[in-house]
Amino acid sequence: MALNIVVCVKNTPSTLAVPVDAATGLPKTAGLVFAMNPFDEYAVEEAVRIKEKNPGTTVTALALGPESDHAVLRDAISRGCDAGVLLSGPELQGGDAFAISRALAAAIKKLNGQKPVHLLLFGKNTNDDNSGTVGGQVAAWLDWPGALSVKKIESIDESSAVLWRMMEDGVDKVKVQLPAAVGTVKEINEPRVPSLRGKMAAKKASIPTWTAADLALKPEDAGAAGARVKLARSSAPPPRPAGTRIAGATAAQTAEKLVATLVERKLI
Amino acid sequence: MSQQKILVVALMQRGAASPATYELLTAGRSLANALKQPLVAFQVGGTAESARELVERGADRVLWSGGAALQDFNDELHAQAVLAAAAQEKPSWLLLPASVAGRSLACRVAVKLGAGLATDVNEIDPASGTVKRSHYSGNLQATMEFKSEVRVVTVQGMVFPQAPRQAGRSGEVAELAFAPAAAGMEFLSFQAEEAGEIDLGGAERIVSGGRGVGGPDGFKLIRDLAHALGAAVAASRAAVDSGWIPYRHQVGLTGRTVRPKLYVACGISGQIQHLAGMSTAGSIVAINMDPECPMMQQATISVVGDMFELIPLVIAEIKKRRGAPVAA
């Protein structure tokens, strides 16, 4: 059973301590170290595991970003993906999840035209924007069934997949017809480290770059022009007020003081 | 042109409205008052009786759609229903809960409406039409501006108080007929979380354990304290990765984001990845041997000490104050 899988990846800052540019009021990411969004590693790993169980399966990693984001696609290939496609160019930059998902969906349609796609995988969210909506919006653009927060792909064949979806109060088991879009959570697997063979393959891989024109996107529908929300400004959250330390002469006295303080502050 | 409205999506799951629904009504009421627009709730699933409760909690009008197709969450079918309600009501703001279902629905609805979407919103400014949400895992707070007429927002849990029930409050309740179209998803089954577990997302109090708990047995103590406080049980990544407690309890960057009134962190050093999930807690109590660790610096109340010695004493003290018998 040969499947064709697309997995979305993003190059994001490796640190969470991102300063704000005083002049623009926006996060200042220039000069930071970038790497694959950690949550995308689970999606890549799941795609590769499905490939390993189903001979003939192909996995294409898809990213949108500047030319330098070739690096994240090479990382995906080094982890077992077969190919990568980068969506890039000035007209695709500056978009929100609406515009980004529209471009990714257009690329998946194009890939689907070359060879029918069965499954789209993506991580639960990115560690920079944290919205967790790009994958779900891609599913909407494509009119594909989809599920977010999937912790297990129980079974898959060319026509359907059975998924375990983590809800707040338990786990839903659902069956989706393929093609479908699936968002993964950390519990789904343990990502591997890139192999030497994978690194060699990644080095040699030819990664095409598709522009908005290649995706038949109108300029007003792509990037910043096609966005529906805009990050106006960013700021550090207010610092927490200084705390108090509780201590007693004995552990029992400390416990007594702690409970008394919690009661006094109406916390319990 | 018909008047615009504030539309709140009330998701019924397993036959009941979640507390998040009533929080959305508070956020919606505030927007409706500021913008002088009616507050409409669209209840997906449920009954006319449960819809009536939404009127009593502040909605001017409640639409509801029921039927077997909407009994369990199905991304496409629920989106069809919400889009039908949106087509009729023409909302200026569409509010959904920041849950798995809420986020999934918001994605589909925003694309189909050509609308901007902001998730996990923790502040709404009706005057400017902007919202605030955290990014970079809580290290930065973003102000988002919409460029669309319709603003789709998922509201972070525990930010707004639940709208109280005012018995007898009047308002219209109407059924919106829903004829499901084909969908590519079939719901098979649901496995509930262990009985008695309090969901982290809606918990007012959380007791959390980290590496300092030492092993799965240590979580028995965490659970005992949680039980004494009526709290949910959480864990850091270190504890989950060690296999001491299931992933669904994990708070932080790779787990859940929570916003309780009280977060008791036991044996958690406070790595930035963990703080990302809980730093907006109202009050943080840290119990740790290391007085200099980041969690102790963040804490509202910090206690230096051995949690294995302190927690049983804290539980005994709580029981004593409540008049319950304390085991020797």
Side-chain angles (χ1 to χ4, degrees):
Chain A
M1 179 185 54
L3 299 166
N4 189 19
I5 301 173
V6 175
V7 56
C8 289
V9 294
K10 187 181 180 190
N11 214 21
T12 63
S14 295
T15 176
L16 302 175
V18 175
V20 175
D21 186 323
T24 63
L26 298 174
K28 197 173 163 185
T29 55
L32 297 178
V33 174
F34 278 64
M36 184 186 292
N37 167 45
F39 307 115
D40 297 344
E41 292 181 18
Y42 300 96
V44 168
E45 177 65 26
E46 198 59 21
V48 173
R49 287 186 186 199
I50 294 171
K51 175 186 149 180
E52 287 168 349
K53 283 185 202 151
N54 297 280
T57 293
T58 49
V59 181
T60 304
L62 182 63
L64 186 152
E67 276 293 316
S68 55
D69 282 4
H70 273 117
V72 74
L73 293 168
R74 292 194 193 283
D75 185 11
I77 293 169
S78 74
R79 292 166 191 263
C81 293
D82 299 291
V85 175
L86 179 66
L87 313 183
S88 197
E91 63 282 8
L92 288 173
Q93 306 306 316
D96 64 347
F98 186 89
I100 291 167
S101 61
R102 184 178 220 167
L104 291 169
I108 291 164
K109 274 186 189 162
K110 187 168 169 159
L111 289 167
N112 193 56
Q114 294 167 357
K115 184 180 169 191
V117 173
H118 297 90
L119 182 66
L120 165 67
L121 289 167
F122 48 90
K124 82 172 179 102
N125 59 257
T126 58
N127 64 344
D128 52 359
D129 183 63
N130 298 132
S131 80
T133 59
V134 169
Q137 294 201 58
V138 171
W141 285 110
L142 294 168
D143 273 324
W144 286 4
L148 307 186
S149 287
V150 169
K151 62 178 262 183
K152 186 174 178 176
I153 298 179
E154 186 184 282
S155 62
I156 185 165
D157 58 32
E158 291 100 332
S159 60
S160 66
V162 173
L163 313 170
W164 292 19
R165 175 173 63 186
M166 269 185 86
M167 304 298 276
E168 284 74 15
D169 58 348
V171 178
D172 281 348
K173 191 169 165 178
V174 296
K175 184 175 183 179
V176 287
Q177 290 166 15
L178 301 186
V182 171
T184 58
V185 292
K186 176 193 157 194
E187 201 178 14
I188 197 163
N189 57 44
E190 185 59 47
R192 71 193 68 189
V193 291
S195 65
L196 187 61
R197 194 172 154 204
K199 284 182 184 171
M200 292 302 289
K203 210 171 171 182
K204 286 186 207 156
S206 165
I207 295 175
T209 299
W210 293 350
T211 63
D214 293 326
L215 300 172
L217 283 175
K218 293 180 202 159
E220 63 268 30
D221 291 336
R228 295 291 190 272
V229 290
K230 182 185 159 197
L231 172 60
R233 60 192 168 276
S234 205
S235 57
R240 295 187 74 88
T244 53
R245 185 153 290 177
I246 285 177
T250 63
Q253 274 185 15
T254 305
E256 195 182 330
K257 276 190 185 178
L258 173 59
V259 174
T261 308
L262 293 177
V263 170
E264 190 182 302
R265 297 190 185 185
K266 297 186 168 59
L267 292 170
I268 62 174
Chain B
M1 196 177 121
S2 62
Q3 189 191 15
Q4 287 205 307
K5 292 150 191 139
I6 309 300
L7 186 61
V8 162
V9 177
L11 285 174
M12 301 295 284
Q13 267 184 281
R14 328 294 170 206
S18 72
T21 297
Y22 308 137
E23 295 170 17
L24 286 183
L25 285 172
T26 299
R29 185 75 263 164
S30 161
L31 265 172
N33 290 348
L35 299 174
K36 298 186 171 40
Q37 294 180 9
L39 174 62
V40 180
F42 175 54
Q43 179 185 278
V44 196
T47 60
E49 194 185 356
S50 52
R52 169 69 49 196
E53 180 170 350
L54 302 179
V55 168
E56 293 185 342
R57 289 184 186 264
D60 297 314
R61 200 153 69 87
V62 181
L63 294 170
W64 68 280
S65 292
L70 298 174
Q71 193 173 326
D72 297 296
F73 181 65
N74 184 316
D75 306 55
E76 293 165 283
L77 293 179
H78 276 61
Q80 285 172 23
V82 173
L83 285 165
Q88 179 177 304
E89 298 302 310
K90 298 186 174 43
S92 58
W93 291 77
L94 184 60
L95 309 185
L96 300 109
S99 58
V100 172
R103 175 179 288 110
S104 192
L105 258 183
C107 288
R108 286 186 185 268
V109 168
V111 165
K112 300 297 179 191
L113 294 177
L117 165 61
T119 53
D120 299 290
V121 162
N122 52 46
E123 224 177 293
I124 302 174
D125 180 7
S128 65
T130 60
V131 297
K132 286 188 179 173
R133 60 183 299 274
S134 65
H135 61 159
Y136 291 98
S137 303
N139 284 325
L140 295 177
Q141 173 89 326
T143 301
M144 310 297 294
E145 283 175 4
F146 287 84
K147 294 163 73 181
S148 57
E149 273 187 34
V150 185
R151 295 165 163 85
V152 181
V153 162
T154 72
V155 178
Q156 195 182 7
M158 307 297 286
V159 171
F160 294 93
Q162 291 180 31
R165 194 168 183 171
Q166 305 159 57
R169 188 178 179 277
S170 63
E172 186 194 343
V173 174
E175 187 170 4
L176 184 65
F178 175 64
M185 177 184 282
E186 181 191 347
F187 183 87
L188 299 179
S189 62
F190 170 67
Q191 177 69 51
E193 186 53 26
E194 318 86 281
E197 288 281 354
I198 297 172
D199 177 50
L200 284 173
E204 291 205 339
R205 288 180 285 274
I206 291 174
V207 180
S208 189
R211 198 186 298 276
V213 166
D217 291 346
F219 268 95
K220 186 181 176 306
L221 203 53
I222 298 292
R223 287 183 193 279
D224 288 347
L225 179 56
H227 184 68
L229 293 172
V233 174
S236 71
R237 177 176 180 158
V240 171
D241 284 354
S242 301
W244 301 345
I245 186 166
Y247 169 63
R248 70 162 45 255
H249 294 276
Q250 186 176 321
V251 162
L253 185 57
T254 44
R256 303 274 301 273
T257 299
V258 296
R259 207 182 170 107
K261 284 182 187 163
L262 173 65
Y263 190 88
V264 184
C266 306
I268 301 179
S269 63
Q271 295 296 317
I272 192 168
Q273 289 83 355
H274 188 74
L275 296 176
M278 46 65 68
S279 60
T280 52
S283 295
I284 299 168
V285 173
I287 301 175
N288 209 296
M289 301 283 272
D290 176 4
E292 304 305 325
C293 70
M295 184 63 82
M296 297 290 263
Q297 310 303 317
Q298 284 278 322
T300 320
I301 300 167
S302 60
V303 183
V304 182
D306 178 355
M307 55 169 274
F308 294 98
E309 186 182 13
L310 276 167
I311 291 177
L313 294 166
V314 169
I315 294 169
E317 183 63 25
I318 293 166
K319 286 183 177 171
K320 195 168 91 185
R321 282 179 172 258
R322 290 187 180 148
V326 179

